[in-house]
Amino acid sequence: MTSRIATIAFNTFREAVRDRVLYNLIFFALLLTAASVLVGQVSIDIGRQVVINLGLTSVSLFGILIAIFIGIGLVWKEMEKRTLYTLLARPVRRWEFVLGKFTGLVGTLIVNASIMAVGVFAALYYVAGKFEPGDKWIFVALYFIVLQFIVITALALLFSTFSSPLLSAVMAFALFVIGTFAEDLRAFAQMSEGVSRWATTAAAYLVPNFASMNVIASVAHQQPVAGALILHNTLYALLYATGALSAAVLIFEHRNLK
């Protein structure tokens, strides 16, 4: 079982690495990080903050785009190429296929984020000339970004099990945008009354809370991140991704592939 999931994950990783979309997005992320060096040199007093803000935002945004654009095609491409039927004809269960695809894409995103993070640290050292003790919190911000990748990949995979690539992309991106403002949505729900309060509260807690996973601004100012927040975000992201993946497996298990 484990070997079958690992094989599917490795093949997914290999296919994702070959995808041109991947290289284009990594190129633009590194280009934006390089641009932050120029902006940082112009703004002498806030050069460090500019590089960290723009650099980590680039890692987050372009990683999310990679997760969506590659994640929505994980199931659809296999069906279009008819390779899915060959794969499922072997002793491979559908849930193993879904889990293998998810693991492979998350692994790809972690490798890409690591490459882009090296670019951010290189840009920071170029502008500041040294690293400060407070820069260690950048690793926490990167960890939270990876948690965002795990959640959005699970959602993209979920949508790809029952919808077209275009509609899957729209839904995944819409949830990302709404989830970025999840805290505001929850505050709005508290101010509502009656039925609208129940509806907005349900919506606020149903969408992924990406707002709590964004500590880029505080990290740029070298502010520490509480351990309780790290634990909360870790458990939240894992539980949310597990729920989305379980729904994806449930839908894929009952989908008529003929």
Side-chain angles (χ1 to χ4, degrees), residues 226-237:
L229 182 62
I230 297 174
L231 179 62
H232 170 270
N233 282 343
T234 301
L235 294 175
Y236 176 81

Side-chain angles (χ1 to χ4, degrees), residues 233-246:
N233 282 343
T234 301
L235 294 175
Y236 176 81
L238 293 179
L239 287 174
Y240 198 99
T242 300
L245 279 178
S246 300

Side-chain angles (χ1 to χ4, degrees), residues 99-116:
L99 190 57
K101 287 290 183 184
F102 171 78
T103 306
L105 182 52
V106 169
T108 306
L109 292 167
I110 291 175
V111 171
N112 294 337
S114 301
I115 295 172
M116 290 186 280

Side-chain angles (χ1 to χ4, degrees), residues 126-140:
Y126 180 81
V127 170
K130 62 178 181 179
F131 294 118
E132 299 287 346
D135 293 336
K136 64 184 179 184
W137 299 110
I138 295 176
F139 290 104
V140 178

Side-chain angles (χ1 to χ4, degrees), residues 140-161:
V140 178
L142 288 168
Y143 174 65
F144 284 178
I145 289 172
V146 169
L147 292 181
Q148 292 182 39
F149 293 165
I150 291 174
V151 173
I152 202 68
T153 300
L155 287 172
L157 192 55
L158 167 62
F159 296 142
S160 72
T161 57

Side-chain angles (χ1 to χ4, degrees), residues 165-181:
L166 178 60
L167 192 56
S168 297
V170 171
M171 290 189 290
F173 191 73
L175 275 183
F176 170 70
V177 173
I178 297 172
T180 303
F181 299 99

Side-chain angles (χ1 to χ4, degrees), residues 33 47-57 59-60 113-114 116-125 128 130-146 148 213-225 230:
T33 301
R48 175 183 291 274
Q49 290 91 332
V50 171
V51 170
I52 295 174
N53 263 312
L54 281 180
L56 291 181
T57 301
V59 174
S60 174
S114 301
M116 290 186 280
V118 170
V120 173
F121 277 108
L124 180 61
Y125 187 80
K130 62 178 181 179
F131 294 118
E132 299 287 346
D135 293 336
K136 64 184 179 184
W137 299 110
I138 295 176
F139 290 104
V140 178
L142 288 168
Y143 174 65
F144 284 178
I145 289 172
V146 169
Q148 292 182 39
M213 301 181 202
N214 187 349
V215 293
I216 294 176
S218 61
V219 164
H221 290 86
Q222 301 186 342
Q223 296 175 356
V225 181
I230 297 174

